[in-house]
Amino acid sequence: MVGGGPAGLALALGLAGDGHEVVVLEQSPRFDRSFRGESLSPDGVWLLDRLGVLDNIVERGALVVERLEIAENGRVVMSADFADYPYAQRYPMEIPQPTLLATLAEAGAAYPGHDLRQGTKVTGLIEQDGRVTGVRYRTADGDERELRARLVVGADGRYSKTRELSGLAYDKQPLERDVVWLRMPRPDGWPRACYRIRLQGARHGLFIPTHPDDIRIGFNIPKGGLKELRKGGIEQLHRRIDEIAPELSNGLRESVTGWSGTTVLDIFTVATPQWSRPGLTLMGDAAHTLTPILGQGVNHALIDGHTLAGLLDRPLRATGRRGDELLHTAALRFQHQREQAVRISRGLQMRQEKAFTYGNQLAVAGRSTLYRVMNRSRYLQKRVLCSAYFQLQPELAR
């Protein structure tokens, strides 16, 4: 396994729990990386419960989100209450990624076949007769080593080294914007359990409640526009937030005093037509990079890991050429089972991304009208949001 993020650790937990030996090679020596995905959709929460780790995560600290709200020019045009949705797990959850990763890693470590090696960097693939049979990697001490495996899984994220080494074709589509992320304490009077999207012409901001009591803020800038933004100093950033969330002005200036408190996410999508080749398969962002809209990345990563683990159990118990054939068939089945759900999420995200870039008055008016129609039509609202948040769970009987 290349990559110890949500996808890789979910897969490792599933395989180790079924009695298989699995090695996870993770480049970062720690889990406490900043500005990583923390938003879990209700389906992701439901899956963590099925994996047996949700109670542990909640005990360590997480935040339940109850509502979604979209405002245009200071006026709410759509709001959704997740209590209205008939599913066992109906609320999204904000989980610090160090908590999520540490919990998955500890659950996997309870099984003798689970081996997580942090601080290791994959440098190449080992191939024989057109089949991937292992990887070359460098340890934290600089030692060069090889690891043989019946199946190599690339779960190493949006900038996947495994994807580059695999020779698999992919389409990388840059979007018209990047996102600047920052974090500040939640001020008094700002409700704790609500996702907020603020729109103002072609500008938008995401305001995400974050455990224990902070707000993560993401706002769009033109692609490659950080240099221009920074010309105005940190006050230019403050003014950008003032325009869409003036009630945060004082707290923002106290907590974000320099650019070191920010990070920029290069927004692009990646579509890989073929996720696998003999001996290797990609999953998570390595196979299908999504955008930050509606927090779909971590959700799909976990579902990928869980799905693939269930498909690999029988093939890994088979040996020889027959076992290799079954593994490749399982990888193909994995893509077949997952790509439609990913396609739905990507389509929804791309439509929202386009709508958020509208700048002319007519397009903005149309966008506001659409959100207001959704706000009045619970059927339409649920149809749209269920495609993002409830692809996996069975609906409860009323």
Side-chain angles (χ1 to χ4, degrees), residues 362-378:
L362 185 61
V364 169
R367 178 177 68 193
S368 292
T369 299
L370 176 60
Y371 286 134
R372 288 191 174 96
V373 169
M374 286 181 59
N375 197 50
R376 290 192 296 269
S377 171
R378 293 302 178 188

Side-chain angles (χ1 to χ4, degrees), residues 273-294:
Q274 184 176 322
W275 297 3
S276 64
R277 49 173 293 202
L280 179 143
T281 190
L282 304 175
M283 68 173 183
D285 273 350
H288 45 73
T289 308
L290 300 173
T291 83
I293 296 296
L294 297 173

Side-chain angles (χ1 to χ4, degrees), residues 75-397:
R75 295 186 176 183
V76 175
V77 291
M78 197 197 86
S79 63
D81 189 333
F82 292 109
D84 294 339
Y85 291 77
Y87 297 90
Q89 296 288 348
R90 63 192 67 184
Y91 298 104
M93 190 173 286
E94 290 298 308
I95 303 172
Q97 191 159 113
T99 296
L100 174 62
L101 299 183
T103 304
L104 289 171
E106 290 168 11
Y111 299 102
H114 187 279
D115 183 2
L116 171 60
R117 304 179 188 179
Q118 292 182 276
T120 56
K121 182 178 181 179
V122 170
T123 58
L125 300 178
I126 302 170
E127 300 187 37
Q128 182 177 348
D129 299 327
R131 178 180 180 81
V132 176
T133 58
V135 297
R136 298 181 183 87
Y137 69 98
R138 184 180 301 117
T139 70
D141 297 328
D143 296 335
E144 301 287 344
R145 297 183 182 177
E146 292 186 353
L147 179 65
R148 303 283 174 165
R150 293 188 58 197
L151 180 67
V152 172
V153 179
D156 47 344
R158 63 204 313 265
Y159 299 106
S160 173
K161 178 71 170 181
T162 313
R163 184 177 63 217
E164 295 296 331
L165 294 170
S166 71
L168 294 170
Y170 64 90
D171 176 39
K172 181 177 179 179
Q173 181 180 347
L175 272 66
E176 297 178 4
R177 66 181 184 97
D178 294 330
V179 172
V180 179
W181 286 104
L182 53 120
R183 183 169 177 153
M184 62 172 285
R186 181 182 65 86
D188 294 338
W190 182 279
R192 185 169 184 257
C194 181
Y195 288 142
R196 285 176 170 78
I197 300 173
R198 299 283 181 89
L199 303 172
Q200 189 176 71
R203 293 182 175 180
H204 77 271
L206 309 174
F207 300 85
I208 302 173
T210 303
H211 179 81
D213 203 20
D214 289 348
I215 306 170
R216 289 201 318 283
I217 302 172
F219 67 90
N220 66 313
I221 60 174
K223 176 67 69 177
L226 180 62
K227 184 177 180 180
E228 185 65 27
L229 178 67
R230 294 184 69 162
K231 284 182 180 179
I234 197 65
E235 182 60 27
Q236 178 71 4
L237 179 145
H238 294 158
R239 287 194 292 268
R240 284 293 303 271
I241 304 301
D242 292 344
E243 293 173 359
I244 51 180
E247 64 269 46
L248 299 182
S249 295
N250 291 337
L252 179 69
R253 283 165 172 78
E254 292 176 2
S255 58
V256 182
T257 58
W259 293 101
S260 61
T262 69
T263 190
V264 177
L265 182 64
D266 176 19
I267 303 298
F268 61 86
T269 65
V270 171
T272 310
Q274 184 176 322
W275 297 3
S276 64
R277 49 173 293 202
L280 179 143
T281 190
L282 304 175
M283 68 173 183
D285 273 350
H288 45 73
T289 308
L290 300 173
T291 83
I293 296 296
L294 297 173
Q296 294 295 289
V298 178
N299 183 55
H300 280 291
L302 288 171
I303 297 173
D304 275 6
H306 179 67
T307 302
L308 185 56
L311 294 171
L312 291 179
D313 182 36
R314 179 169 168 261
L316 286 172
R317 298 185 189 281
T319 59
R321 182 175 296 179
R322 175 59 176 162
D324 292 343
E325 292 173 353
L326 289 174
L327 283 171
H328 187 53
T329 299
L332 296 175
R333 288 180 60 197
F334 165 62
Q335 179 175 350
H336 178 72
Q337 289 187 19
R338 291 290 302 134
E339 62 183 345
Q340 178 61 18
V342 172
R343 188 178 297 115
I344 290 171
S345 290
R346 178 181 285 112
L348 177 60
Q349 286 187 331
M350 297 303 285
R351 289 192 293 273
Q352 291 301 310
E353 292 280 359
K354 184 176 181 180
F356 288 169
T357 64
Y358 291 160
N360 71 71
Q361 188 173 359
L362 185 61
V364 169
R367 178 177 68 193
S368 292
T369 299
L370 176 60
Y371 286 134
R372 288 191 174 96
V373 169
M374 286 181 59
N375 197 50
R376 290 192 296 269
S377 171
R378 293 302 178 188
Y379 167 78
L380 183 58
Q381 185 182 113
K382 287 183 179 181
R383 182 173 179 180
V384 172
L385 291 183
C386 281
S387 68
Y389 289 127
F390 301 101
Q391 294 185 6
L392 192 64
Q393 297 182 68
E395 187 171 338
L396 297 178

